[in-house]
Amino acid sequence: MLYLKANLNNLTEIVNLKNEVKTRVRKENLAIWLGDYPSDTIIEADLKNGYGRIIKANDKIIAYASCHLCEMEYSQTAFCYDKLYTFSRLMVADNYLKKEVGSYLIKMMLEEFKTKTKGFGIIVDECNIKAINLYQKLGFRFESYAKEDYGVFLTYTYYYEDCFTNELNYELAKLSDFKYQQFVKRIYNTKYKILGVRMPELRKYSKKLTLNYFDNIKFNSIETLLLASILLRRVKDKNLIINYLNKILPYIDSWVITDSLASNLVAISKEQEQYFNYLEELIDSNKEYYVRLAISILIFQCKKLELYAKIYRLIDKVKINTYYVNMAIAWLLNNMAFNDDYVFTYIKKLNSDIFKMFLQKRRDSMRERKKK
């Protein structure tokens, strides 16, 4: 068998192979390759762009696939890493089924591109059991669920090198929940992959980890960041807390991370004043989620009435006017208002968005108190 890069001279033969495979797929009642996919135009574009790969036997094309960067086929957050490669439109001639032809084609693509990428990612319909079994046999492992416009699928990845982060994501994938993943995708507002692991499961899994996590992890999913926040509950030393926070800061792009970090920094509540200089640095950075983190820490950990004057001064330093920062300030002032009437005077000098959010928080809080 010969593994070759396809060209436009192969178009007619590949289209004939495609039609043969589509007939077989229909007979097997597989819910894949619906409509006119893959169209002749798509295959022609593969060949023009140099993506097509073929297997030849007896001077005949017996297998085909398109191999290219994942971003050209799937959404940017389809996999935990970007710049992975993928293959699609994999097809094998009827007469060469069960002869390891598909395996050989995939192995050759893995070999060809191993110096260009961390690995390969594929998305496969859960009904396509034969394909899933083949991929698993070749070393692909389940990473997460994927919701595309045309259905619900499973994502599998193959990495050329094992590392702590890869293995962690595979372990977390076993705990993932598709419905939960789809729910939090609508509210987390993050660029990172969301595996869909519920917080109780993350807390339980965190017990298997040590603080060496911070030296070994590469943050590439929302769950890896949430695990970091959970592990911070164990840290008591101020300098170590700040050191770990500084490792996480560049990756924060969502309110869920800031709030999870803040709620887990329980050591701060015992020595609150020690951290005010650090919180001031976060606010002075003028970066949205750094500021949100500082305000969130004040919400969860700095509740002593004698610190309120310092808290007002910190709020005065906030220069960012965004929804997530304003909402955090409104939340903080709402909590303070139960102990300090000056809040109702102070809030009037802040922008109107914060004032409106504060009033809504007050209404919500009062309703909750009445229920209790």
Side-chain angles (χ1 to χ4, degrees):
M1 291 189 293
L2 291 176
Y3 171 74
L4 301 167
K5 184 176 180 178
N7 57 57
L8 282 171
N9 293 330
N10 305 128
L11 178 60
T12 299
E13 198 172 352
I14 294 170
V15 168
N16 290 338
L17 173 61
K18 180 256 300 189
N19 292 333
E20 178 184 308
V21 173
K22 286 202 73 167
T23 299
R24 184 174 76 233
V25 166
R26 290 193 189 100
K27 288 181 180 178
E28 294 177 357
N29 290 319
L30 278 175
I32 60 175
W33 285 17
L34 303 175
D36 67 344
Y37 180 86
S39 68
D40 298 356
T41 303
I42 289 175
I43 294 174
E44 183 177 8
D46 287 343
L47 303 183
K48 284 181 178 179
N49 289 308
Y51 304 148
R53 297 296 183 271
I54 54 175
I55 300 295
K56 271 194 168 186
N58 300 320
D59 204 34
K60 179 182 178 181
I61 296 175
I62 61 172
Y64 170 83
S66 175
C67 190
H68 45 74
L69 281 166
C70 283
E71 283 84 349
M72 301 184 65
E73 189 88 11
Y74 306 119
S75 65
Q76 193 171 5
T77 57
F79 305 97
C80 289
Y81 289 104
D82 59 5
K83 300 193 183 308
L84 296 182
Y85 270 69
T86 190
F87 52 84
S88 54
R89 299 178 272 290
L90 180 66
M91 54 187 83
V92 177
D94 291 355
N95 292 338
Y96 287 86
L97 294 174
K98 299 182 180 179
K99 294 184 179 180
E100 304 293 324
V101 175
S103 296
Y104 179 70
L105 175 54
I106 295 171
K107 287 176 182 177
M108 293 304 293
M109 289 187 289
L110 293 176
E111 179 65 23
E112 178 184 355
F113 290 93
K114 68 181 181 182
T115 61
K116 297 182 179 180
T117 178
K118 291 178 182 288
F120 273 67
I122 52 175
I123 296 182
V124 57
D125 194 306
E126 59 185 349
C127 74
N128 199 352
I129 304 301
K130 290 181 181 178
I132 291 172
N133 289 339
L134 171 61
Y135 302 149
Q136 290 177 335
K137 181 180 176 182
L138 293 172
F140 284 81
R141 298 170 67 180
F142 173 69
E143 186 172 270
S144 68
Y145 300 98
K147 178 75 166 64
E148 300 291 340
D149 293 339
Y150 39 89
V152 177
F153 299 83
L154 307 177
T155 72
Y156 282 80
T157 47
Y158 175 100
Y159 295 113
Y160 289 108
E161 294 182 7
D162 292 331
C163 71
F164 174 79
T165 305
N166 297 346
E167 290 301 314
L168 174 65
N169 281 324
Y170 287 138
E171 289 300 309
L172 293 175
K174 297 174 185 177
L175 305 174
S176 62
D177 180 315
F178 173 69
K179 289 184 178 179
Y180 181 69
Q181 180 208 50
Q182 295 307 300
F183 168 70
V184 295
K185 270 186 174 182
R186 296 194 295 271
I187 61 175
Y188 277 4
N189 188 33
T190 178
K191 67 183 178 185
Y192 295 104
K193 177 71 176 177
I194 298 173
L195 301 175
V197 184
R198 295 175 183 272
M199 285 302 293
E201 293 289 349
L202 283 175
R203 292 191 189 97
K204 183 177 178 181
Y205 187 83
S206 72
K207 295 176 182 178
K208 300 179 181 181
L209 302 172
T210 69
L211 292 180
N212 288 335
Y213 180 88
F214 290 95
D215 298 318
N216 298 319
I217 194 66
K218 293 180 180 179
F219 297 114
N220 65 0
S221 70
I222 202 75
E223 283 79 5
T224 56
L225 287 159
L226 289 172
L227 274 173
S229 73
I230 294 168
L231 288 170
L232 282 174
R233 292 186 74 86
R234 303 180 194 172
V235 185
K236 309 301 179 186
D237 179 76
K238 175 197 171 187
N239 292 328
L240 198 54
I241 287 176
I242 292 176
N243 179 47
Y244 288 152
L245 280 175
N246 286 339
K247 286 187 175 184
I248 300 168
L249 282 175
Y251 300 92
I252 299 175
D253 72 340
S254 171
W255 63 268
V256 70
I257 301 302
T258 61
D259 295 9
S260 182
L261 284 168
S263 65
N264 282 296
L265 292 170
V266 293
I268 290 180
S269 63
K270 297 179 180 179
E271 302 290 345
Q272 299 171 29
E273 291 185 73
Q274 290 187 25
Y275 292 89
F276 268 72
N277 287 340
Y278 182 69
L279 299 183
E280 188 170 4
E281 289 175 13
L282 292 178
I283 289 173
D284 286 343
S285 73
N286 241 18
K287 295 181 180 179
E288 179 179 16
Y289 288 104
Y290 288 29
V291 176
R292 168 85 183 201
L293 175 61
I295 301 301
S296 297
I297 290 172
L298 292 172
I299 292 170
F300 285 101
Q301 307 302 344
C302 301
K303 300 178 180 180
K304 293 179 180 177
L305 185 59
E306 57 267 31
L307 296 177
Y308 279 18
K310 286 188 174 183
I311 292 175
Y312 288 128
R313 286 196 291 273
L314 283 181
I315 297 174
D316 286 339
K317 293 176 69 67
V318 174
K319 306 301 180 190
I320 291 182
N321 180 19
T322 67
Y323 174 84
Y324 289 110
V325 170
N326 289 344
M327 180 56 78
I329 293 172
W331 183 6
L332 172 61
L333 291 173
N334 172 62
N335 291 355
M336 293 168 64
F338 288 105
N339 302 309
D340 185 11
D341 289 339
Y342 176 66
V343 168
F344 298 101
T345 300
Y346 177 79
I347 192 71
K348 293 176 182 177
K349 75 174 189 176
L350 302 181
N351 71 60
S352 59
D353 289 335
I354 296 176
F355 185 65
K356 290 175 185 176
M357 292 174 180
F358 170 78
L359 293 178
Q360 183 60 52
K361 280 284 184 184
R362 292 300 294 165
R363 287 191 288 269
D364 293 343
S365 296
M366 297 311 293
R367 277 197 293 267
E368 286 300 316
R369 291 202 165 199
K370 286 180 179 179
K371 286 180 183 179
K372 294 178 182 179

